[in-house]
Amino acid sequence: MVLKFIKEIVFLFMTVLGTLGNISVSVNYMFSCWGGPEKKAIHLILIHLAFANIMILLAKGLPKTIATFGLRNFLDDIGCKIVVYLERVARGLSICTSSLLTVVQAIIISPRASGWRRLRPKSAWHILPFFSFFWILNALISVNLIHSITSTNLNMSQLENGDNHCYFMLESQKTKWIVLPLMVLRDAVFQGAMGGASGYMVSLLHKHHQHVLYLQKAKLLYRTPPELRAAQSVLLLMLCFVFFYWTDCAFSLFLSLSLGNNSETIIIRDIPALGYAVFSPLVLIHRDGLQAECWHAQWKKLRKCVSHLSV
């Protein structure tokens, strides 16, 4: 009973907190009109990342929350296919969008003499083709789930864990060896780009730190540019992503190799699977002071409008 109560509280807390955090981040970035084209491009990427996180939380976290409260078999066959398919697509979108965020931020802070400087986004709309590519890529990679997922209502004899609402049917070896390498290749390519861009940003931030130390010794005043502060936030976000991604992979590998999968182990694995979607908006809010800055700007605009109307 204690374990069941803890599961209910944990999933409910993570789902509600993550959904509200991502909605808050996306709404604030939607209404923030300040900054140049590079900053607006980063905002657009963060909005897309928040949308992918909301999809993960609603498609994976919400059904898990409902299941832990005792409402089982609430999804029919079509509902299971839609929920699991959207969760897998959203997971891929999260990986691709996080990689794009790191690469674009690395390009923005690159020195003027660097060749990467020419790739800086001239407009936020230049980012949209990447989003289309990400959606098509992940939709095609995950299309096999439509045939291999069914509701536990139709497979009650196969149900081992009461918290599962959908059942994975066995796939043919041919399908498995087509889909699995594509997923591994996607993750490897985008995480490789993420790692390279993060390493490049770390080197630039180290040089900037050395420059700041020199200016401090010379007793000169210096303020860190907002681009470098944003790069620090992106690096913190990427560390959060890497931690939860590889923790999820480790638990998944452990479950696939273990003979007996109890519900406690599966529940523990589900927590890091939702971790990045929950904590990434909190990282942005805490690191950038997003809420106070945006709402202060909106309040000033509202006061201006009111003063003009009164005149």
Side-chain angles (χ1 to χ4, degrees), residues 46-184:
L46 289 171
I47 291 170
H48 190 260
L49 178 61
F51 180 72
N53 289 338
I54 292 171
M55 284 179 61
I56 293 174
L57 290 165
L58 294 182
K60 188 178 183 68
L62 188 60
K64 286 286 182 182
T65 304
I66 295 174
T68 54
F69 275 93
L71 183 59
R72 302 173 185 173
N73 310 318
F74 56 92
L75 288 175
D76 58 5
D77 189 44
I78 296 177
C80 266
K81 293 179 187 296
I82 293 173
V83 166
V84 177
Y85 179 73
L86 288 179
E87 187 269 326
R88 184 69 63 84
V89 170
R91 180 183 177 276
L93 289 173
S94 177
I95 295 171
C96 298
T97 309
S98 299
S99 177
L100 178 66
L101 175 65
T102 314
V103 171
V104 171
Q105 187 64 63
I107 292 172
I108 288 174
I109 68 170
S110 59
R112 292 183 180 180
S114 173
W116 295 107
R117 193 78 172 186
R118 290 175 294 181
L119 298 176
R120 295 181 72 169
K122 303 294 188 300
S123 168
W125 300 109
H126 292 170
I127 302 297
L128 294 180
F130 291 99
F131 295 161
S132 301
F133 171 70
F134 295 161
W135 277 92
I136 294 171
L137 173 67
N138 291 288
L140 292 177
I141 289 178
S142 306
V143 74
N144 68 301
L145 292 174
I146 297 175
H147 303 286
S148 59
I149 292 293
T150 185
S151 173
T152 52
N153 289 326
L154 306 177
N155 293 277
M156 290 303 294
S157 61
Q158 306 285 353
L159 186 61
E160 295 180 0
N161 176 23
D163 290 332
N164 284 338
H165 49 275
C166 298
Y167 171 72
F168 283 82
M169 295 185 294
L170 292 177
E171 296 179 324
S172 65
Q173 290 295 322
K174 184 178 179 181
T175 303
K176 186 182 295 185
W177 285 109
I178 291 174
V179 174
L180 187 60
L182 287 175
M183 292 178 61
V184 172

Side-chain angles (χ1 to χ4, degrees), residues 86 125 205 219 226 229 243:
L86 288 179
W125 300 109
L205 290 173
K219 296 182 179 180
R229 292 200 301 270
F243 171 77

